[in-house]
Amino acid sequence: MLLENKNAVVYGAGGAIGAAVARAFASDGASVFLAGRTLAKVDSVAEAIRATGGTAEAAEVDAGDEAAVDRHVADVAAKAGRIDILFNALGMEDIQGTPLIDMSFDDFAQPVLTATRTQFITARAVARHMTEQRAGVIMSVTAEPTMAPDLGGFPAACAVVEALWRGFAVELGQSGIRTVVVRSPGSPDSPGVQAVFGLHTESPDTATEAIQAAWGGTAALGRLPLLADIANAATLLASDRAGAMTATLANVTCGAFLDM
């Protein structure tokens, strides 16, 4: 197993991406510590993992609350002995569907400020423990930059996360800590992507097949990555087999966007 004997913390574990990543980590041997703002959602994911023989614990944590995050990370470190992986699948509270010239500054800035706060607080808290053990992987997920209209502050928020991860990579590399951002164009089997699809098209049909047909047809593979694709890539990147990769923006787009 790729993550055998690893301990992973997943923030935003009650959402579609966080849950998929948590399940993938656990199926590859990791003990997963799941956190989110709604305990019932996170606990449901943890129960499903345990039902298939995995090891999972759930906690209610607001990723924007410094004291709460610090307590949670300290509790996990004390219980598990070490933290090997952090994966952030945190929502940005972005507002889409309005042209920038018609958008208020507060609506534009909301995802930028939310992402800055939650991503920094969680990564910093885990990094402080990882520096003591001189090893670890800090991960997040963003969307590949696009020229699509009416995305509001979402692209800017993604850029902030990627810049922050580069900064952590430079400062933490000598302590054996890697940083990786998984870039995705959005998974058509995610409820969030289906909702966004409804905002940006006239079609009321937000089924996976409709999104693949409308947005995935121009990708090199002729489709967009499903949640399982994102989770499987994250598992590989979190493992020691990707040990030479840091400050990395991993293109997991099925060729919807091409690295040049």
Side-chain angles (χ1 to χ4, degrees):
M1 295 188 204
L2 288 175
L3 303 181
E4 189 172 11
N5 299 321
K6 302 285 189 181
N7 299 312
V9 176
V10 181
Y11 282 104
I17 295 177
V21 169
R23 290 192 296 267
F25 281 2
S27 68
D28 250 289
S31 297
V32 292
F33 296 83
L34 314 181
R37 287 187 297 183
T38 305
L39 182 59
K41 291 182 179 180
V42 181
D43 205 32
S44 177
V45 178
E47 288 178 3
I49 290 172
R50 290 193 293 267
T52 58
T55 301
E57 294 188 16
E60 182 176 345
V61 183
D62 180 351
D65 184 330
E66 282 188 82
V69 170
D70 286 344
R71 285 194 301 271
H72 176 247
V73 170
D75 288 345
V76 171
K79 180 176 295 185
R82 59 186 288 128
I83 298 174
D84 300 291
I85 304 161
L86 166 68
F87 191 94
N88 277 346
L90 297 166
M92 297 182 180
E93 300 180 3
D94 49 297
I95 298 170
Q96 298 189 23
T98 301
L100 290 173
I101 61 173
D102 296 326
M103 179 171 278
S104 70
F105 172 77
D106 287 344
D107 285 350
F108 171 82
Q110 180 169 294
V112 177
L113 297 175
T114 298
T116 300
R117 182 173 184 84
T118 59
Q119 298 278 352
F120 177 80
I121 287 172
T122 52
R124 183 189 62 184
V126 171
R128 286 172 171 170
H129 289 270
M130 288 180 173
T131 54
E132 296 179 4
Q133 66 200 34
R134 302 192 65 77
V137 187
I138 297 175
M139 307 181 71
S140 189
V141 60
T142 62
E144 178 73 26
T146 177
M147 296 303 292
D150 302 343
L151 296 179
F154 179 67
C158 290
V160 166
V161 175
E162 293 176 1
L164 177 60
W165 254 235
R166 291 188 188 99
F168 276 127
V170 172
E171 294 190 7
L172 300 175
Q174 295 300 311
S175 296
I177 300 169
R178 300 191 292 114
T179 72
V180 177
V181 174
V182 177
R183 275 182 170 177
S184 166
S187 296
D189 55 339
S190 165
V193 170
Q194 293 181 4
V196 170
F197 178 81
L199 286 175
H200 293 284
T201 68
E202 296 180 357
S203 171
D205 186 358
T206 58
T208 297
E209 295 77 9
I211 300 174
Q212 289 284 26
W215 288 354
T218 59
L221 295 181
R223 66 180 184 88
L224 297 178
L226 299 176
L227 290 167
D229 294 315
I230 302 300
N232 289 336
T235 301
L236 175 62
L237 292 164
S239 76
D240 292 341
R241 294 191 182 183
M245 299 176 69
T246 192
T248 297
L249 305 177
N251 183 334
V252 190
T253 70
C254 290
F257 299 95
L258 303 179
D259 292 334
M260 303 298 290

